[in-house]
Amino acid sequence: MDLSELELPPRILDAIRKAKLNSSVKILSLSVADLQRQTKLSGNDIKHLLREVALSVPRVPVASALDISEGRCHPSLTVQMLTTGCKVLDEFLRGGIVCPGITEIAGESAAGKTQLCMQLCLTAQLPHQLNGLAAGVAYICTEDVFPNKRLHQMIQNFKQQIDPDIAKTISFGDHIFIEHASDQESLWQCITQRIPVLLKRGMIKCVIVDSVAALFRGEYDIGQTATRAHHLRSLGGFLHNLSYQHRIPVICVNQVTANIAGNSELGSQDFIPALGLTWSNLVTCRLLLSRTRMTLENTVTSTGHASTITVRTMQAMFAPHLPRTMQVMVVPHVYRDLHYFVVESQGVRGLQ
């Protein structure tokens, strides 16, 4: 804030200007004695100056847990949920994808990561009363070409699952902004220059990066671990700023790597999310998807013939809004924070 806009006498403003105290941070960081020595003002003038400067500084809103629970608090303290488009998965995730914050969707190849992200592209455009965001989505691809045909198929099926009146008012395919980033420079340029413009114009309220690991696993040598960690922190920090400034969810897809140590947050696992501890500390929620050997018969296909679909699992490795039951086993090697789902032509569907 410009100090000249404060309701202070001209002589006090002239004194702090001559002392080169041109910011509220400089003024509030000095003691009363130091301010008197630098500005030559009286004790009462210094108290008046400090009071006005302190009142001009934006304050973090404070509320009790009861106020937050009942919605009687500042909007910045509320947590909104983005529906996954499946009631079963929403119940498992206690409402859906949390926003603001960074939600990581990690998993092996063909685990359903991109399928879930594309479904979130559609649910984000739903109105608020349906737990949507009523806005578009920015989708940044770093690996493969965006699957347009699959998205078109999901849109047609998604329209049949929602209210016909709502389906007529939303052109789902026109509000998904797709960008391909083949290196870190183009990714950084996209999230620092193009994404903020779309957010300020209100055209999007969700950002998806598919995936983060594709660029950060292959562009560094073994001796550049510190450099990679620095770049990851810069990326995560900027995404967090966007998320909390605009109150939007940021969804990042991550690959997995072999679990050499043989243990992880959920016990014994063959693989764990990539990018190490540096990226883990930047993530708000972490979901781990994997394939199983179980299959189900699917009679709803484009040809009308029966087929088999692979059953997949979704594990909540950590999330601030979910119960802390990661270390509690129901039976050996079966955790409560795990749910089964399938990927069908209609989209991602949780199993009861």
Side-chain angles (χ1 to χ4, degrees), residues 40 200 277 319:
K40 311 300 181 185
K200 290 179 181 178
L277 189 60

Side-chain angles (χ1 to χ4, degrees), residues 145-306:
V145 179
F146 185 82
N148 288 294
K149 292 184 178 180
R150 173 57 176 157
L151 176 64
H152 180 72
Q153 181 188 33
M154 293 181 69
I155 290 175
Q156 300 304 317
N157 291 313
F158 190 73
K159 288 182 176 180
Q160 299 176 7
Q161 301 173 23
I162 62 177
D163 190 303
D165 295 332
I166 297 178
K168 292 178 182 178
T169 60
I170 303 176
S171 180
F172 289 98
D174 295 338
H175 301 286
I176 302 175
F177 302 87
I178 303 170
E179 177 74 17
H180 290 85
S182 58
D183 51 40
Q184 288 186 35
E185 183 178 354
S186 57
L187 174 63
W188 183 253
Q189 183 180 14
C190 180
I191 66 170
T192 57
Q193 299 181 16
R194 300 177 185 177
I195 298 298
V197 173
L198 295 176
L199 288 169
K200 290 179 181 178
R201 294 178 180 177
M203 300 175 70
I204 64 171
K205 285 188 178 179
C206 179
V207 177
I208 299 176
V209 182
D210 186 6
S211 69
V212 176
L215 300 181
F216 283 89
R217 295 183 76 180
E219 296 191 10
Y220 297 92
D221 297 330
I222 298 178
Q224 295 180 307
T225 305
T227 303
R228 188 184 78 162
H230 173 72
H231 291 165
L232 272 174
R233 286 193 296 268
S234 299
L235 174 66
F238 193 88
L239 290 176
H240 268 296
N241 288 337
L242 288 178
S243 178
Y244 283 89
Q245 179 181 355
H246 298 278
R247 311 300 296 176
I248 65 168
V250 175
I251 301 158
C252 295
V253 175
N254 193 6
Q255 300 171 358
V256 293
T257 185
N259 186 13
I260 305 299
N263 54 61
S264 67
E265 294 96 327
L266 286 174
S268 178
Q269 293 283 351
D270 294 332
F271 53 82
I272 55 176
L275 301 180
L277 189 60
T278 300
W279 177 251
S280 296
N281 291 331
L282 297 169
V283 173
T284 307
C285 305
R286 166 169 283 175
L287 303 178
L288 180 64
L289 310 185
S290 60
R291 294 166 59 92
T292 70
R293 297 181 180 180
M294 296 182 292
T295 58
L296 291 177
E297 279 201 8
N298 180 26
T299 56
V300 184
T301 61
S302 57
T303 60
H305 300 292

Side-chain angles (χ1 to χ4, degrees), residues 3 67 74 93 101 128 151 226 242 275 306 322 335:
L3 297 180
D67 291 337
H74 192 272
L93 295 174
H128 293 289
L151 176 64
L242 288 178
L275 301 180
L322 297 179
Y335 293 84

Side-chain angles (χ1 to χ4, degrees), residues 8 12 32 35-36 41-54:
L8 292 170
I12 297 181
V32 175
L35 287 173
Q36 283 184 298
L41 293 172
S42 65
N44 290 332
D45 289 339
I46 295 299
K47 291 181 180 179
H48 187 193
L49 170 64
L50 290 174
R51 182 172 60 252
E52 292 297 326
V53 172

